[in-house]
Amino acid sequence: MGHRVCAVDIDAGRVAELNGGKAPFFEPGLDEMIARNLDSHRISFTTELREAVPNADAVLLCVPTPAGTNGDADLSMLYAALRDVGPLLKPGALVITRSTVPVGTNALLAIQLRQEHPDADVAVISNPEFLREGHAVDDFMRPERVIIGAADADAGSRAAKLYDTLGCQIIITDLETAEITKYAANAYLAASISFINEIANICERTGADVTKVTEALHLDRRIGEHAYIEPGIGFGGSCLPKDISALVSTAEGHGYDPTLLKAIMAVNDSQPKRIVGYLRELFTDLSSLKVAVLGISFKGDTFDVRSSPAMSVIRHLGDAGIRVHAFDPMADRTVEMCVSAIAELHEDAYSAATGCDAVIIASEHSEFRMLDLQRLGKVMASRVLIDGRNVLDPATVAEAGFSHIGIGRARRGD
Ligand code: UDX
C-alpha cells in the first residue's frame, strides 16, 4: 500500500524468521508479500520498540486478547504494550488498536496514556481487524469495509487515510461503536453456524437433507451466498468462541442477560458430543472401539488447533473409553504436542484408520475430498464413516460399502 512498516515482536526467534522472509505460520501469499517488501526496504522486523515507535505516525497494537478466567477478555498484554509504547510516541502519533477489545477499552487506553504522559499529543483509535485464517492477505487487501472508531474527528480521518488505497468503504464512528461492531460481526457468524446446526439436528430426526436446505438458503439474497450456514461439529478457532464469551461477559457486566448469545454457545458445545451419540447408535460396547479422527485443526486447510471442535471430539471419544488414532495433513510440532496425550498421531489417513471400527472426518481439509475409500475400507475393521463436516458425497461413500453418517442427512449404507 506504499507505507513503510516496522513490526515489533518480543520473540527474537520469530523476528529472525521474519527478517529471513518467512512467516512463522502458514498463510497463503504472506511469505511472498514479506519477501517483496523486505527487498524494497518497506518492511523490517525488530524486537526493539525504540527502532519502531519514535518515528511512527501510527502505532498499530496487534497483541492477543485471549479469554480470561471468567470468559472476559484478558487485556494484560494490551495494557503492557501501551505502557511500553507510551514514552516513545512522537507528537501527533495515532495509537491504533487492532486487537479485539471489549467496548470501553479504547477510552480506558486513552485515559491511561493521558495519565502517564499528560503532555503527549496523541490519539487512540479503534480499528478492529476482520481477517480469516487462511485468507488473511486477501481479506486485508480486499476488505468489504474498514471500521475506524475515534473520539476526535480529525484523528479519525487521519487514521482512515492509512487505508485510502484499498478503495473500500470506510466507516468512521465513535470508539465504542467500532469496538462492538467487531463483536457483532463474529456473534452474527457464530449465530448462523449454531442456527444451521440446530436445523441439521432437526433434519436428522425428520429425514430431511440439510445440504439441500442450505443450497436454498444461500440463494435467498437476504441470507446470501457467503452466509455461514455449513453445518458440522461446530465453530472453533481463536476468535469466534472467545469473542462470544467476552460479549456475554460485557452484557452481564452491564446488567443484561444475553439469552441468544448463551444459546449460540450451548448449541456449539453440544455438536462435538453428538459424534459419540452416533457411535452409540451403531455399536453396543464403546469401550472396545478404536476410531480414527481425520483432521484436528479448527477448520480446513489451516494447522491451528486453538479451540478446535475436532479436539473436543477427540476428548469426548476418550471420555467414552474409545481409543483414538488421528491424522491431520497440516499437523506440525504444536499439533503433535496438543494431541499426543489424547490420541495416537499418524502420518496419513490410511495408517490412522488401520484396524479402526469407524473413521470420523472432523476438519474440512481439501485432501479429504480425495480419500481413496476402497483403500480406506480395506484397512478398517468395519466400514463406518462419520462425516462431521459433510465433505464427502453420501452416495459415493455408501457405494464403497460404508455405513455413512453425515450432519443433518439421512443415514446411508448398512
Ligand atoms: C473468524 C472470522 O471469520 C473473522 O472475521 C475474524 O476476524 C476471526 O474469526 P477464523 O477464526 O479464521 O475467522 O475462521 P472462520 O473461517 O470464520 O471459521 C470459524 C469456525 O466456524 C471454523 O471452526 C469453521 O469450521 C466454522 N464454520 C464456518 C462452520 O462450521 N460453518 C460455516 O458455515 C462457516
Side-chain angles (χ1 to χ4, degrees):
M1 290 164 67
H3 302 305
R4 269 181 304 135
V5 180
C6 184
V8 187
D9 198 285
I10 55 170
D11 182 334
R14 174 172 291 204
V15 165
E17 222 179 320
L18 284 158
N19 273 323
K22 195 161 165 26
F25 45 79
F26 169 73
E27 195 59 55
L30 189 56
D31 284 351
E32 295 83 340
M33 191 182 231
I34 291 170
R36 199 169 60 241
N37 285 287
L38 280 171
D39 281 352
S40 59
H41 304 288
R42 287 204 171 279
I43 193 162
S44 57
F45 301 91
T46 175
T47 53
E48 294 300 322
L49 283 170
R50 280 185 185 287
E51 290 172 23
V53 178
N55 292 322
D57 300 308
V59 175
L60 282 72
L61 301 177
C62 313
V63 296
T65 51
T69 37
N70 310 319
D72 51 352
D74 173 357
L75 301 175
S76 55
M77 284 176 258
L78 187 68
Y79 281 107
L82 187 74
R83 225 177 347 263
D84 293 344
V85 161
L88 303 172
L89 290 166
K90 76 172 182 186
L94 299 172
V95 175
I96 302 181
T97 307
R98 303 234 61 195
S99 310
T100 302
V101 294
V103 61
T105 303
N106 279 291
L108 293 174
L109 293 179
I111 291 171
Q112 178 176 319
L113 261 181
R114 266 200 304 278
Q115 279 170 351
E116 291 176 2
H117 311 283
D119 301 328
D121 166 29
V122 294
V124 172
I125 301 287
S126 165
N127 172 216
E129 59 88 5
F130 295 92
L131 313 183
R132 288 165 302 161
E133 284 186 36
H135 300 265
V137 171
D138 206 45
D139 284 350
F140 189 91
M141 297 310 290
R142 271 186 281 275
E144 275 129 7
R145 76 304 204 196
V146 166
I147 312 291
I148 303 281
D152 165 271
D154 169 62
S157 28
R158 280 192 291 133
K161 280 208 168 51
L162 276 178
Y163 300 101
D164 257 0
T165 54
L166 293 178
C168 69
Q169 187 162 351
I170 299 181
I171 296 179
I172 304 184
T173 179
D174 54 75
L175 289 171
E176 292 73 17
T177 308
E179 288 166 334
I180 213 151
T181 301
K182 169 66 192 252
Y183 284 99
N186 276 353
Y188 187 88
L189 298 174
S192 313
I193 299 167
S194 279
F195 161 78
I196 202 63
N197 282 334
E198 191 144 281
I199 295 292
N201 297 340
I202 298 169
C203 284
E204 273 173 36
R205 285 162 176 75
T206 54
D209 182 346
V210 76
T211 58
K212 285 287 162 207
V213 176
T214 56
E215 192 182 330
L217 294 183
H218 278 304
L219 291 170
D220 186 327
R221 272 200 294 266
R222 295 165 301 175
I223 297 172
E225 58 178 319
H226 301 296
Y228 267 32
I229 50 171
E230 301 316 318
I233 54 170
F235 59 80
S238 62
C239 293
L240 261 48
K242 89 163 167 62
D243 289 354
I244 313 306
S245 299
L247 193 53
V248 167
S249 179
T250 298
E252 289 180 337
H254 286 78
Y256 178 76
D257 182 22
T259 46
L260 177 61
L261 297 178
K262 288 180 183 168
I264 293 169
M265 287 312 294
V267 172
N268 200 53
D269 290 344
S270 68
Q271 282 306 103
K273 285 188 210 138
R274 298 176 52 74
I275 299 293
V276 177
Y278 296 142
L279 290 170
R280 260 189 234 289
E281 287 173 27
L282 295 165
F283 300 96
T284 41
D285 177 18
L286 294 194
S287 64
S288 63
L289 288 188
K290 177 176 158 185
V291 306
V293 173
L294 304 186
I296 298 164
S297 57
F298 81 100
K299 68 173 178 180
D301 303 329
T302 65
F303 69 100
D304 194 344
V305 293
R306 285 176 291 174
S307 299
S308 169
M311 291 288 286
S312 301
V313 167
I314 294 176
R315 279 190 215 99
H316 289 307
L317 293 169
D319 290 347
I322 299 169
R323 275 174 303 147
V324 184
H325 291 245
F327 164 66
D328 191 290
M330 304 194 67
D332 64 358
R333 283 280 307 134
T334 328
V335 175
E336 279 167 27
M337 271 156 45
C338 289
V339 173
S340 57
I342 50 176
E344 194 176 309
L345 206 57
H346 290 256
E347 289 295 303
D348 64 57
Y350 310 98
S351 157
T354 300
C356 283
D357 302 288
V359 157
I360 295 149
I361 298 181
S363 317
E364 62 276 36
H365 290 299
S366 306
E367 78 163 59
F368 296 153
R369 293 179 203 280
M370 259 79 82
L371 274 175
D372 179 343
L373 293 171
Q374 287 305 340
R375 187 176 160 200
L376 196 70
K378 277 193 190 118
V379 297
M380 293 177 66
S382 62
R383 295 190 178 208
V384 172
L385 191 144
I386 301 175
D387 190 349
R389 296 291 191 173
N390 287 350
V391 297
L392 295 175
D393 170 39
T396 313
V397 176
E399 272 161 31
F402 281 81
S403 296
H404 172 275
I405 295 182
I407 306 290
R409 315 181 90 171
R411 305 279 187 270
R412 297 277 189 133
D414 294 332

